[in-house]
Amino acid sequence: MNQLRAMATAGFLAATVLPAAAGDITGAGSTFVYPILAKWADVYRKSTGIGLNYQSIGSGGGIKQITNKTVTFGASDMPLAPETVKKSGFVQFPIINGADVPVVNLPGIKPGELALDGPTVANIFLGKITKWDDPAIQKLNPGVKLPSMPIVVVHRSDGSGTTFIWTNYLSKVSPEWKEKVGESTAVEWPVGIGAKGNEGVANNTANTNGAIGYVEYAYAKQNKMAYTKMVNQAGKTVSPDADTFLAAAAGADWISAKDFYVVLTNAPGDRSWPVAGSTFILMHEVAQDPVASGEALKFFKWGYKNGKQMAAELDYVPMPDNVVALIEKTWAERFKASDGKPLHLSAVAR
Amino acid sequence: MALRAGTLVSVRAGTRARALDRLRLSDIVFRQLTRAAAFGVLLLLSGVIVALMVGSLPALRTFGLSFLMTERWNPVTEKFGALAPIYGTLVTSFIAMLIAVPIGLMIAFFLTELCPQWLRRPIGIAIELLAGIPSIIYGIWGLFIFAPFLQGTLQPLLIATLGHMPGIAPLFSGPPYGIGTLTAGLILAIMVLPFVTSISRDVFAAVPTVLKEAAYGVGCTTWEVARYVVLPYVRVGVIGGVMLGLGRALGETMAVTFVIGNAHRISASLLAPATTISASIANEFTEAVGDLYTSSLTALGLILFVITFIVLAIARYMLMRIERRIG
């Protein structure tokens, strides 16, 4: 039910799983995806006896480890560009979706009371809007009494998939942001104070009057932070919840995207939450250890099929069924054993 | 008889030689062991230096000397410059020393000259405990209690008063964030206080009583004794203590990361967020994607290593001089 508890369980799991048996699946990367992978692994091990040894060292570390072939899969919150995927000989596919929400600390403003749109948020984070009673914010919130207070921007100081989703969204809605700052897991912030981790941003926002930050949705929800609504691409004002995240994931054009290079931000559709994203799995196309790769794929397939409820409980958004079918088709086409034959996927197909 | 005695002697001499050999052998083994331990440290140190140098080569080759002189830190375009972290490191440490040194000296003087005997131990122990608190605790305390407190009290006061004073106004301008350069400096001041205090106390105690008695005898006040007798006598030793404290302030990571605001910018205002070398590394290393980014962070580490090395070398030199003098 609760992500923190899941993390505690996961920590316990890691402790018990780490002295891994030879047949265990090894992976490394994104911290964002860790709670759900750990939860899946726990249940999966009970039914199959095969465990998961996942090091949540961050997306950058995950990419390094899979490049060096020290793990069977890497997990990254930022998709690699198709050229990079091709050059490295990876297969890339999304495993789960999540979302960012803006959180604010304004006296008298309750969760969900304030609404913002992309260009306004971009201008706040560019330092062009500096007061809360700026006409641009007031126009989006008729009837809300906004204080004449300086805006304190809070951003991540560490590299993060949360930051990638956030800056990718701002780049899509503001040409100026795209040109001046751009998108990545870490950027050169024009204004604001940096804090480490979701909890750092949350605490700094909670401690500073007039602050605005962005955190992963589960974090805002479980800590009952004052999130804001957003105006999406269709011009509709939406609240962050499972429905609007799913709408964003379902509306994306996964089919024509090479290597599933899709970022769910600024998704079309009336119900879509505009700041959503996915975590991607990276594996070598030509498996060094076909058995290990096969086991990993079996685990992912199991997770897509049986892990939806667990994902929802932890406030993740599972992949839609049509996307999963596409992913499994890609597996069959792309993965090869080291002798050039297709990876033995009969077990996976079962 | 004589023959037997001779055999006995030679047998004794044999055991004696063997025993001596054994002792000599154990001596040799012991000597080699200690030498290996000592050389091991040298090996480790040079290993660290070499690793840092090799790691930072790509960054230094790409940016050259401009790495030390540019403020930009842009992971997207891969343009990196170390000036902002270097500036933040030096300024926060400077603030820390500016506050910790006078207070530390006062505490040390009070403890050695004025404090009643029964109070010396509690205060001394309290100061040593201050040194024993893990830095993460300072960080958490700084973020949750100290920073909001500063945001509500000291910072608005500074902005309202010093912020309007001609000359130093830019240092205290801008909104009170709570966290920032000044807050980091204050936390560091608390953290280095025990270093400055305990070393000063030791060197103060080394001042010959006869000098102080003589000064009091000719009618000096306590302040005059402290200023014109004790301080000049121990000046070099105190500087050594200050340098050791400075070494700690320069490298402090966790506490600073929590309260400095982690922004790669050089601001005129002390209330604005900034970053330090160690805070940047701690924040960004895990998620740094790409060789140049990682290498730039390693190069930051190398710079910090050099700065700290210089500071510690000066400290050793100063301490050596005072030891020779009072020795």
Side-chain angles (χ1 to χ4, degrees):
Chain A
M1 286 297 155
N2 170 317
Q3 194 154 357
L4 288 176
R5 201 185 309 152
M7 279 175 176
T9 331
F12 172 72
L13 282 177
T16 53
V17 167
L18 271 179
D24 281 357
I25 304 159
T26 58
S30 159
T31 48
F32 169 75
V33 78
Y34 178 50
I36 183 62
L37 282 186
K39 178 85 182 143
W40 282 354
D42 184 34
V43 180
Y44 186 69
R45 192 169 51 120
K46 278 176 193 144
S47 62
T48 62
I50 290 172
L52 170 72
N53 178 4
Y54 183 76
Q55 312 159 24
S56 65
I57 52 173
S59 301
I63 294 170
K64 268 176 221 150
Q65 292 225 5
I66 184 65
T67 307
N68 296 336
K69 301 186 178 177
T70 51
V71 287
T72 306
F73 72 90
S76 168
D77 297 326
M78 176 167 74
L80 295 183
E83 310 89 72
T84 319
V85 172
K86 186 161 192 256
K87 202 175 76 197
S88 312
F90 288 152
V91 177
Q92 172 173 273
F93 54 91
I95 186 78
I96 201 98
N97 307 303
D100 285 8
V101 294
V103 288
V104 296
N105 176 0
L106 283 172
I109 302 284
K110 288 184 284 294
E113 194 177 342
L114 208 63
L116 295 170
D117 66 5
T120 308
V121 173
N123 284 336
I124 291 174
F125 274 73
L126 280 166
K128 288 167 76 183
I129 296 178
T130 55
K131 290 268 186 184
W132 278 108
D133 57 356
D134 191 280
I137 304 175
Q138 191 69 68
K139 203 174 132 223
L140 292 163
N141 296 281
V144 177
K145 187 161 171 15
L146 291 162
S148 174
M149 194 180 257
I151 300 179
V152 179
V153 169
V154 183
H155 56 74
R156 289 285 286 267
S157 59
D158 47 341
S160 161
T162 316
T163 298
F164 169 72
I165 294 171
W166 187 250
T167 53
N168 174 278
Y169 172 64
L170 294 183
S171 295
K172 280 182 182 168
V173 293
S174 160
E176 189 180 349
W177 181 274
K178 187 174 180 157
E179 186 209 335
K180 279 193 181 160
V181 186
E183 57 179 65
S184 187
T185 51
V187 298
E188 188 175 25
W189 298 95
V191 291
I193 53 185
K196 196 164 162 60
N198 277 306
E199 64 281 7
V201 172
N203 289 327
N204 273 300
T205 308
N207 278 343
T208 314
N209 272 332
I212 180 169
Y214 59 93
V215 293
E216 177 206 312
Y217 169 67
Y219 207 90
K221 185 183 171 191
Q222 283 148 21
N223 293 289
K224 302 188 173 53
M225 301 193 68
Y227 61 85
T228 74
K229 289 184 279 196
M230 290 290 292
V231 178
N232 64 15
Q233 197 197 30
K236 300 282 193 292
T237 307
V238 287
S239 288
D241 56 41
D243 290 344
T244 55
F245 300 159
L246 198 63
D253 185 10
W254 296 100
I255 295 164
S256 56
K258 190 161 169 41
D259 291 314
F260 297 97
Y261 187 76
V262 173
V263 184
L264 299 179
T265 53
N266 205 28
D270 284 357
R271 292 283 304 137
S272 295
W273 176 254
V275 211
S278 325
T279 298
F280 295 82
I281 299 291
L282 295 165
M283 288 172 70
H284 283 284
E285 196 171 16
V286 179
Q288 198 184 20
D289 179 351
V291 178
S293 288
E295 287 298 340
L297 292 177
K298 261 201 279 185
F299 170 67
F300 294 137
K301 185 185 167 74
W302 179 91
Y304 286 134
K305 189 161 167 259
N306 305 310
K308 287 185 181 163
Q309 184 60 34
M310 285 178 258
E313 279 169 8
L314 294 174
D315 296 313
Y316 291 94
V317 181
M319 298 308 299
D321 285 336
N322 58 335
V323 184
V324 171
L326 201 63
I327 292 168
E328 286 173 2
K329 189 164 150 269
T330 310
W331 289 353
E333 288 165 8
R334 294 281 302 279
F335 282 112
K336 289 176 184 65
S338 44
D339 53 5
K341 289 180 193 148
L343 189 66
H344 189 61
L345 280 171
S346 58
V348 178
R350 197 163 55 206
Chain B
M1 197 64 190
L3 189 74
R4 276 178 69 189
T7 329
L8 202 64
V9 167
S10 72
V11 167
R12 266 208 202 126
T15 24
R16 194 181 145 85
R18 267 202 301 280
L20 278 178
D21 273 351
R22 234 188 356 257
L23 288 179
R24 196 174 299 126
L25 187 73
S26 78
D27 243 15
I28 290 170
V29 168
F30 183 65
R31 190 183 305 147
Q32 298 300 338
L33 268 179
T34 53
R35 184 191 293 173
F39 282 7
V41 172
L42 277 185
L43 209 67
L44 270 179
L45 186 69
S46 43
V48 169
I49 296 175
V50 169
L52 277 177
M53 282 179 169
V54 170
S56 47
L57 259 187
L60 297 179
R61 209 178 278 146
T62 312
F63 303 116
L65 263 186
S66 75
F67 185 70
L68 293 174
M69 285 175 254
T70 41
E71 186 190 338
R72 296 213 71 177
W73 187 267
N74 192 333
V76 181
T77 55
E78 299 211 305
K79 295 271 181 303
F80 299 105
L83 196 61
I86 293 176
Y87 172 84
T89 306
L90 295 180
V91 169
T92 48
S93 299
F94 180 73
I95 295 173
M97 301 326 284
L98 204 64
I99 295 164
V101 170
I103 296 180
L105 288 181
M106 284 194 277
I107 298 173
F109 191 77
F110 179 75
L111 283 180
T112 48
E113 302 297 327
L114 306 172
C115 186
Q117 201 66 39
W118 60 269
L119 198 59
R120 274 185 198 183
R121 273 179 72 85
I123 295 183
I125 289 173
I127 287 167
E128 273 151 32
L129 279 181
L130 216 53
I133 298 175
S135 60
I136 185 103
I137 306 286
Y138 280 108
I140 292 171
W141 175 78
L143 177 61
F144 284 104
I145 298 174
F146 197 50
F149 170 75
L150 288 180
Q151 189 186 19
T153 55
L154 182 67
Q155 294 190 344
L157 184 77
L158 287 175
I159 293 167
T161 54
L162 297 180
H164 295 294
M165 230 184 241
I168 56 167
L171 285 178
F172 300 98
S173 57
Y177 288 112
I179 60 182
T181 312
L182 182 66
T183 313
L186 290 176
I187 292 267
L188 282 178
I190 301 172
M191 297 181 73
V192 300
L193 191 61
F195 288 76
V196 178
T197 308
S198 59
I199 291 189
S200 308
R201 191 183 53 186
D202 292 350
V203 292
F204 280 7
V207 178
T209 319
V210 61
L211 281 183
K212 289 179 282 187
E213 302 278 297
Y216 283 120
V218 297
C220 286
T221 61
T222 317
W223 160 249
E224 283 165 341
V225 171
R227 171 69 189 81
Y228 298 106
V229 177
V230 176
L231 261 190
Y233 193 85
V234 300
R235 191 176 49 221
V236 184
V238 166
I239 291 173
V242 169
M243 290 292 181
L244 284 183
L246 186 57
R248 161 129 208 213
L250 288 169
E252 178 46 45
T253 310
M254 281 327 292
V256 173
T257 308
F258 273 89
V259 295
I260 196 163
N262 303 303
H264 279 277
R265 282 189 296 277
I266 297 178
S267 315
S269 174
L270 294 181
L271 306 179
T275 189
T276 68
I277 294 177
S278 48
S280 300
I281 298 174
N283 270 313
E284 298 173 38
F285 208 84
T286 45
E287 286 276 356
V289 184
D291 290 341
L292 205 54
Y293 195 177
T294 323
S295 170
S296 298
L297 287 169
T298 315
L300 277 186
L302 184 65
I303 293 170
L304 182 62
F305 191 93
V306 171
I307 294 176
T308 319
F309 184 80
I310 293 172
V311 168
L312 288 182
I314 295 174
R316 291 297 339 156
Y317 177 68
M318 297 279 184
L319 285 180
M320 228 160 62
R321 274 181 56 183
I322 185 91
E323 272 159 18
R324 204 176 298 150
R325 201 151 117 194
I326 61 177

